[in-house]
Amino acid sequence: AYYGNLPNQLVSRGVPIVTALTNQSGVCSKKFMPAEVSHSRRIWIVPRGAAFPDGITTFWQMIKESLRLLKRASENGNHEELDYFQTLAAAQLDHHSFGALNLSQEIRQICRDLEPAVLVITFEGYPWERLVCKLVHDEFPSMIVIGYQHAVITDGPRAINHKFGRGMDPDHLFCAGAYMRQRLIDEGDMHPKDATIIGSPKSVVY
C-alpha cells in the first residue's frame, strides 16, 4: 500500500525484488494462498512477534544496554546525569524498544538471506528504522538503504529531520511530494541531493 504500483513496475522492467510485510494482524500467514498474496513478485511475511528463544535474547540485550547506561552515569559522578540515565535505562525496557529491536533484526536476517543491492524501508523517524539502517550499514557496507517518507510531516520536533550519523541514517530519501521534501531540507539536516520525489499512491484519485 505504501509503494503503490512501484514494485510491479520494477518487476515489469526486469528488476528482481522481494517485498517484506510485517504481520501486524496476528492472523496466521499460512491461511493465505500464494495467489491471494501476489501474482508477480515474491512476498515475505515478517512475523509480528519473536520466537521465544529469540525474544529472551533480545530482552537480555536490552537489560545489558540499560546496565551499561547506568554504569556510565555512575562513573561520571554527576547527580543530574545519573538521574537522566536512570530514567533512560528504565524507559528503554518497554515493549516499544522490544518491538523495534525485533523488527530490525528480522529485516537484517532477510538481508542476510537475500543479499539485496538496495533496501527500501518506510521512513518516519521511528527507532526501528534507525536500527535497520545501523545494522545493515555495519554488516553490509555496500548495500544502499533508501527511506521512503510517505507520511504527513507535522509541526514541532521531529526525529526525521535529523541525521544521527554512525550509519543510522538512510543513504537517500524518497519523498511523497515537493512540499514534504522542501520541509525536510528547510527544517532539518537534509540537503537537496539527499532526497528525490517519487510521489505517493495516496494522491491517486479513484
Side-chain angles (χ1 to χ4, degrees), residues 15 19 50 76 84 102 112 187 192:
V15 179
T19 301
N76 290 341
Y84 169 76
N102 178 59
R112 287 173 175 171
E187 302 172 18

Side-chain angles (χ1 to χ4, degrees), residues 10-184:
L10 292 172
V11 169
S12 68
R13 296 179 184 182
V15 179
I17 70 166
V18 175
T19 301
L21 303 174
T22 305
N23 179 15
Q24 297 286 9
S25 68
V27 176
C28 179
S29 60
K30 292 181 180 179
K31 293 183 179 180
F32 295 102
M33 297 298 292
E36 293 180 291
V37 177
S38 174
H39 294 284
S40 60
R41 66 185 191 273
R42 295 170 64 191
I43 291 182
W44 284 30
I45 305 297
V46 180
R48 179 172 61 172
F52 182 74
D54 296 334
I56 294 297
T57 301
T58 299
F59 190 63
W60 178 237
Q61 288 177 319
M62 294 165 64
I63 292 174
K64 288 194 295 184
E65 180 61 21
S66 290
L67 292 174
R68 187 187 68 82
L69 289 172
L70 293 175
K71 182 175 182 294
R72 173 184 169 186
S74 61
E75 288 173 349
N76 290 341
N78 186 309
H79 181 71
E80 289 185 359
E81 188 170 305
L82 179 60
D83 287 344
Y84 169 76
F85 277 103
Q86 284 177 337
T87 303
L88 184 62
Q92 76 166 6
L93 292 174
D94 66 1
H95 68 284
H96 296 294
S97 298
F98 183 87
L101 281 167
N102 178 59
L103 180 56
S104 61
Q105 290 168 354
E106 290 278 1
I107 295 175
R108 177 178 60 182
Q109 186 59 51
I110 291 175
C111 291
R112 287 173 175 171
D113 294 337
L114 299 178
E115 299 182 352
V118 178
L119 172 67
V120 183
I121 61 173
T122 55
F123 193 69
E124 302 171 77
Y126 286 120
W128 74 264
E129 299 161 346
R130 301 289 186 169
L131 279 168
V132 167
C133 291
K134 176 64 175 174
L135 293 176
V136 169
H137 283 138
D138 284 355
E139 189 163 337
F140 312 99
S142 62
M143 190 181 300
I144 298 172
V145 181
I146 295 176
Y148 177 37
Q149 173 277 312
H150 63 91
V152 174
I153 298 176
T154 58
D155 292 330
R158 300 185 301 270
I160 194 175
N161 277 8
H162 303 291
K163 290 185 178 181
F164 291 178
R166 299 187 178 184
M168 290 184 281
D169 309 303
D171 297 299
H172 196 75
L173 285 183
F174 284 163
C175 295
Y179 174 73
M180 297 301 181
R181 177 179 182 270
Q182 197 58 47
R183 286 196 66 178
L184 289 172

